[in-house]
Amino acid sequence: EGYIRLASEGKVLIDECHRPDGNNIGWNCGGGEVGGQHIFHAHLHVMPRYKDETLAGKGIRYVFKGEENLGAKLGDSTHIRPA
């Protein structure tokens, strides 16, 4: 129940601040090294999505892993819309 509330509250804040066209919510729950974790833990991502982004229409894995989506890389805020 806590994670659902956290995801919902995060989505509301992102919607208010960045006005995305949509959102992806992704969960990571263990999976070991194959799942990209070296220390077992659970976490979630709430990602704002926009019609004009390079990977519009693709799922969350493409946003994280796709070389095409250069705007989503750390340190580059081109994928974030001003409030």
Side-chain angles (χ1 to χ4, degrees):
E1 183 179 320
Y3 271 119
I4 300 298
R5 187 175 65 240
L6 181 62
S8 296
E9 291 174 4
K11 181 191 172 308
V12 167
L13 289 171
I14 288 170
D15 288 349
E16 288 174 358
C17 292
H18 302 288
R19 297 184 301 278
D21 298 311
N23 293 281
N24 284 122
I25 297 177
W27 293 89
N28 291 87
C29 303
E33 289 189 31
V34 173
Q37 290 190 356
H38 301 281
I39 299 172
F40 178 81
H41 67 286
H43 65 273
L44 66 107
H45 302 268
V46 182
M47 305 249 342
R49 302 297 303 272
Y50 302 94
K51 292 177 194 172
D52 62 349
E53 70 182 60
T54 305
L55 296 174
K58 297 279 190 179
I60 197 169
R61 83 176 65 191
Y62 294 95
V63 175
F64 284 117
K65 302 292 183 179
E67 287 294 319
E68 306 88 9
N69 206 22
L70 299 177
K73 290 192 176 191
L74 240 48
D76 182 351
S77 61
T78 59
H79 64 289
I80 298 174
R81 306 297 161 88

